[in-house]
Each structure stands twice: as C-alpha cells, then as structure tokens.
Amino acid sequence: MAGTRSSKQTVRNMLQSLAVIGIAAAVIYVFIPHDESDAPPLKPVNYTVELSTVRRAAPYPVAAPVGLPDQHKWRATSVSYDGAKNNAWHLGFLDPQNQYVAIEQSTAPFEKYVAEVSKNATKTDKSQKIAGATWTYWDGPKYDALVRQDQGSTTVVTGTAPYEQLVTMAGSLESKKESKEATG
C-alpha cells in the first residue's frame, strides 16, 4: 500500500507542477507584449544596378517606375531577374500605406504567367488606358492586377494595394531596352 500512495503522490506533484508552469506561461503571454505587427521593417533595396543589367540582358524593354508621387514613401523591397525562367523580371515595392505592389515581366505563356504572379487572379472585362498603354484589370482572392501584353512579353502590376495604387505604379512605368554594345 505504501508504494501505491507514493506513486499517487508523485503523479499529484507532477500535475501540480504542470499547473504552476501553465499559470506562469499564461501570465507571461498576457502581460508581455507580443504584437505580431512589430515584425522588423523590410529594408529598402537599391535596384539601379540590377535594372541596368536586366535592360541589357532581357529580350524585351524592361519596366521600372520613374517619378512616382511621394517617391520617398514608395520603398523598393525586392528585385530579381531569372533569364533561365522565361526572362522573369520582378521588382517589389511597399506603397505609402505599406501595401505590396510588384512589377512582373516575362516571356512566359500569358495566361499561366499572369495567374502565377497575381496569385490566381482572373481576368475581368474592364480595361483602362494608362500612360498611353491599355491595361486589363484582373481580380484576385489575394492580389489584384493590371496586365499589359506587349510584343513578346507580358507586364503585370500586382499586389495587395488597391487598384488606385496599381494604376499609379502602372502610370509611372518606363520601359527601356539598353544595347549591350553601348555599355561594353
């Protein structure tokens, strides 16, 4: 009988210890700030070198913004080019309200590419002339997009930002192709 009593006491002690640990964890959780919005801010990237390089390498005129309103409030956060993956150009920004806006260009097949970079947005019947080019609106569950088909490439302005910001970005785009010989 003595063995049974000590094993019951050991189990009871263990349960009491777990309860004390649980209460301590709950107190820490409630009283210590743990706001997920306090994530470290994204560092802005300088994309001028990559842009110049891509404008020489890509088989299409590469788009980048020029003269965004409140340009110091638009922050470039990511830049990449993958020549092996259908010459995919990406330039990501946070707008003044910290919403994501990306410029995506590629020679990939149109429908599949737009669905991929816009996170499965679907084409609408709405289009708009912005800075002399016709852009088609695409609505998505996560990202909306403005899409323009050019000779040999597709340009997509997409993100979590409202259409007004996507239109602002699309209107600021300058597409250029630099010759390889001019810089050589």
Side-chain angles (χ1 to χ4, degrees), residues 16-29:
Q16 286 175 338
S17 296
L18 284 173
V20 169
I21 291 169
I23 291 169
V27 167
I28 289 171
Y29 181 80

Side-chain angles (χ1 to χ4, degrees), residues 47-68:
Y47 58 89
T48 54
V49 172
E50 287 89 346
L51 178 60
S52 180
T53 302
V54 172
R55 283 183 167 164
R56 287 189 303 274
Y60 53 83
V62 175
V66 174
L68 280 169

Side-chain angles (χ1 to χ4, degrees), residues 99-180:
Q99 293 296 313
Y100 182 66
V101 177
I103 302 152
E104 308 282 357
Q105 283 184 286
S106 178
T107 56
F110 173 75
E111 296 276 339
K112 183 179 178 190
Y113 178 69
V114 175
E116 178 186 326
V117 297
S118 69
K119 309 288 186 218
N120 295 316
T122 54
K123 186 177 182 179
T124 71
D125 292 333
K126 184 177 178 183
S127 63
Q128 179 179 352
K129 233 184 201 349
I130 303 168
T134 301
W135 294 81
T136 303
Y137 283 68
W138 288 55
D139 290 334
K142 183 171 181 168
Y143 290 179
D144 291 325
L146 294 172
V147 179
R148 180 181 84 203
Q149 282 187 280
D150 298 307
Q151 201 69 13
S153 69
T154 301
T155 303
V156 181
V157 176
T158 188
T160 59
Y163 274 117
E164 296 79 33
Q165 292 295 69
L166 300 181
V167 167
T168 298
M169 179 60 80
S172 76
L173 293 181
E174 178 182 74
S175 296
K176 287 169 69 175
K177 174 93 177 116
E178 295 178 6
S179 76
K180 295 175 185 178

